[in-house]
Amino acid sequence: MKKKIIYIITTIIIIILGLLSREIKGIPLFMGDIFWAMMVFFILAFIFLNKNSSFIFILSIIITYIIEITQLYHRPWIDNFRKTSIGHILLGQGFLWSDLVAYLAGIIIGYFIKKFIDNKMEESYS
């Protein structure tokens, strides 16, 4: 239960940082993509609490890459959804190879943050 709370708090912090990264001038746009992938990673860590970090890592890559690839698909219904705030955040606007690199970086960072959290949790129980 304690781990779930820490993952929720971590996810909220990541969301705030991701939103701020879009508002503060001078922060490269790819930082938002890194934070988005980290958010996906920690949402999956929360959902699959008993799975190992490698499973969450791989699933995060699959999900983020599929979402990026779907940006190559254009139909009025999905393009209209992408124009909404939530649609833009969830699905993005257009396919970029560089986003795949940013997602991988975010998932790697998330992986190591999760490992750190898990190790600290284990130490506190010892």
Side-chain angles (χ1 to χ4, degrees):
M1 184 65 167
K2 191 173 181 182
K3 196 182 281 191
K4 277 191 169 192
I5 293 169
I6 291 172
Y7 289 165
I8 289 171
I9 292 168
T10 303
T11 303
I12 291 168
I13 291 168
I14 290 167
I15 290 169
I16 291 168
L17 291 173
L19 292 172
L20 286 174
S21 76
R22 298 292 189 191
E23 299 298 322
I24 299 173
K25 302 289 183 226
I27 296 179
L29 284 177
F30 69 83
M31 288 302 298
D33 296 320
I34 289 173
F35 287 125
W36 182 82
M38 288 172 62
M39 176 198 70
V40 169
F41 181 89
F42 276 98
I43 288 171
L44 292 172
F46 175 83
I47 292 169
F48 298 105
L49 192 62
N50 296 321
K51 295 287 187 178
N52 65 35
S53 296
S54 297
F55 172 84
I56 296 164
F57 181 91
I58 292 167
L59 187 59
S60 298
I61 289 175
I62 291 169
I63 289 172
T64 57
Y65 280 33
I66 286 173
I67 290 172
E68 186 66 21
I69 290 167
T70 65
Q71 292 175 22
L72 295 169
Y73 176 77
H74 294 281
R75 291 291 178 266
W77 69 271
I78 198 165
D79 287 340
N80 288 334
F81 180 65
R82 286 184 180 121
K83 290 177 186 172
T84 67
S85 296
I86 192 74
H88 180 73
I89 289 170
L90 293 176
L91 300 179
Q93 289 294 322
F95 178 85
L96 293 172
W97 287 104
S98 59
D99 286 352
L100 299 177
V101 176
Y103 299 159
L104 180 60
I107 293 165
I108 290 170
I109 293 167
Y111 176 88
F112 284 110
I113 291 172
K114 181 182 180 306
K115 285 294 212 182
F116 176 80
I117 290 169
D118 293 349
N119 286 339
K120 288 296 178 185
M121 296 285 296
E122 287 177 19
E123 286 176 13
S124 70
Y125 289 122
S126 307

